[in-house]
Amino acid sequence: MTTLFGNSPALSAEHFENLEKQREAARFGMWLFLASETLLFAGLFALYAALRVRNPAAVQSGIGANDIRIGTLNTLILISSSFTVALSHLFLEADRRARSLACLATTIVLASLFLVLKATEYAAHIRHGILPGQTQFFTLYYMTTALHSLHVIAGMLVLTFLGIGIMRRTVRKGRAYPLELGTLYWHLVDVIWIFLWPLYYLGSHG
Amino acid sequence: MKAYAGTWIALVLLTLLSWSASRLVTTLEFSISLGIAVTKAALVAFIFMHMGRAKATHQAGLIVAVVLILILIGLSSIDMWMLL
């Protein structure tokens, strides 16, 4: 029987000796993927560092135009979503499916809230004539935050897919590793924002 | 469960501390904010992502990526600083 996350729920895929080896291969693949995702943002972080060294006044001026309240609220939202997604995995491992699903749903709601606030902030910038290409700071700001938002959207899709798996019981206690991998991805999205917040929001608001 | 809740509270408090520091301190605020961000990232990596329990081969990939980022940031900053 083919299920959402492989063959028979109890068996490993054909090319693995057993389920444990399949899990380990998947975990290794996910950690490598997280490393590549980290490197995807490396160039943008390096560009920011270069801009900050070359023209610190432009960076301070750009930060002053960003809404620190929205940035801080979004930080609290993503931190909370990391907590709820970690709980979701914990509950599934304890065979508490309903609680796991509730935590996963909360994570998706928090992610949606993050995107709504980000869109609100973009709209306010556009109203004030702050557009990509206008200054180096805001070109970098739009590129980095938009790329991060795309990762949030991808994470929401992955978590929704996993929620369907939990409802269909293809992801469950004893076979919860797809959720474990999904939560790892979500935590990375959170970690990237943890660094974006001080770079683009903190400073010159005092 | 308690460890997760404690970590979440610590992350919220560190976020508020970082926000307060950015308003109160003027000269060192960026370094303080980055230091707090590194602490928060470590909390997420070691408590939520269980990085400490991951196999060394799994950890190596991410550590190499972080080291490469630091080299890239360092070299770009030095290059820009020399152009000043």
Side-chain angles (χ1 to χ4, degrees), chain B:
Chain B
M1 175 87 168
K2 279 182 185 170
Y4 284 171
T7 304
W8 176 65
I9 291 166
L11 288 170
V12 170
L13 291 176
L14 284 170
T15 300
L16 297 176
L17 180 69
S18 195
W19 179 71
S20 307
S22 76
R23 292 185 158 258
L24 297 174
V25 189
T26 51
T27 49
L28 288 173
E29 56 88 9
F30 186 63
S31 309
I32 292 170
S33 299
L34 275 189
I36 292 173
V38 169
T39 309
K40 284 160 69 183
L43 278 173
V44 173
F46 284 95
I47 310 289
F48 287 158
M49 297 172 84
H50 303 288
M51 200 180 162
R53 286 199 321 223
K55 282 188 172 178
T57 45
H58 301 186
Q59 295 171 344
L62 204 57
I63 291 167
V64 167
V66 171
V67 170
L68 284 173
I69 286 185
L70 293 176
I71 291 171
L72 193 61
I73 290 173
L75 290 178
S76 312
S77 302
I78 291 167
D79 195 30
M80 280 296 136
W81 181 71
M82 288 176 80
L83 284 173
L84 288 176

Side-chain angles (χ1 to χ4, degrees), chain A residues 125-139:
Chain A
H125 279 325
I126 291 166
R127 268 200 310 276
H128 291 109
I130 301 170
L131 299 165
Q134 202 176 37
T135 64
Q136 286 177 330
F137 176 86
F138 275 104
T139 302

Side-chain angles (χ1 to χ4, degrees), chain A residues 135-194:
Chain A
T135 64
Q136 286 177 330
F137 176 86
F138 275 104
T139 302
L140 207 49
Y141 161 82
Y142 276 111
M143 276 172 67
T144 314
T145 55
L147 183 65
H148 179 265
S149 296
L150 282 177
H151 280 74
V152 172
I153 293 167
M156 285 169 71
L157 292 174
V158 167
L159 295 180
T160 305
F161 190 62
L162 288 166
I164 294 167
I166 294 171
M167 281 194 283
R168 290 184 179 175
R169 294 179 192 269
T170 49
V171 179
R172 60 178 195 282
K173 186 189 177 186
R175 204 187 166 96
Y177 76 92
L179 181 61
E180 179 192 332
L181 304 182
T183 60
L184 281 177
Y185 176 76
W186 190 257
H187 293 313
L188 184 81
V189 170
D190 179 26
V191 167
I192 291 167
W193 182 262
I194 282 174

Side-chain angles (χ1 to χ4, degrees), chain A:
Chain A
M1 181 181 75
T2 301
T3 65
L4 197 60
F5 296 98
N7 300 325
S8 166
L11 299 174
S12 60
E14 205 177 324
H15 49 287
F16 288 103
E17 278 177 39
N18 53 50
L19 196 57
E20 190 47 40
K21 285 199 173 175
Q22 182 175 330
R23 280 184 194 140
E24 275 312 306
R27 282 192 190 111
F28 184 49
M30 178 48 85
W31 280 101
L32 281 181
F33 175 66
L34 296 185
S36 71
E37 285 287 290
T38 308
L39 288 172
L40 183 65
F41 281 88
L44 295 167
F45 282 122
L47 276 173
Y48 178 92
L51 179 65
R52 191 153 187 132
V53 171
R54 185 80 188 260
N55 196 351
V59 172
Q60 288 304 318
S61 161
I63 288 172
N66 280 337
D67 192 335
I68 191 171
R69 292 165 306 172
I70 291 182
T72 307
L73 199 53
N74 266 345
T75 305
L76 293 172
I77 285 169
L78 275 195
I79 282 169
S80 303
S81 74
S82 248
F83 173 54
T84 54
V85 86
L87 282 183
S88 173
H89 181 236
L90 195 71
F91 282 132
L92 194 66
E93 288 285 14
D95 208 12
R96 293 162 116 173
R97 215 165 58 94
R99 285 189 185 194
S100 174
L101 271 172
C103 286
L104 209 54
T106 308
T107 308
I108 293 166
V109 169
L110 288 169
S112 310
L113 201 57
F114 175 92
L115 289 175
V116 168
L117 286 172
K118 198 81 220 121
T120 308
E121 198 182 14
Y122 281 161
H125 279 325
I126 291 166
R127 268 200 310 276
H128 291 109
I130 301 170
L131 299 165
Q134 202 176 37
T135 64
Q136 286 177 330
F137 176 86
F138 275 104
T139 302
L140 207 49
Y141 161 82
Y142 276 111
M143 276 172 67
T144 314
T145 55
L147 183 65
H148 179 265
S149 296
L150 282 177
H151 280 74
V152 172
I153 293 167
M156 285 169 71
L157 292 174
V158 167
L159 295 180
T160 305
F161 190 62
L162 288 166
I164 294 167
I166 294 171
M167 281 194 283
R168 290 184 179 175
R169 294 179 192 269
T170 49
V171 179
R172 60 178 195 282
K173 186 189 177 186
R175 204 187 166 96
Y177 76 92
L179 181 61
E180 179 192 332
L181 304 182
T183 60
L184 281 177
Y185 176 76
W186 190 257
H187 293 313
L188 184 81
V189 170
D190 179 26
V191 167
I192 291 167
W193 182 262
I194 282 174
F195 285 100
L196 293 185
W197 178 58
L199 298 186
Y200 289 99
Y201 292 90
L202 296 185
S204 57
H205 289 280

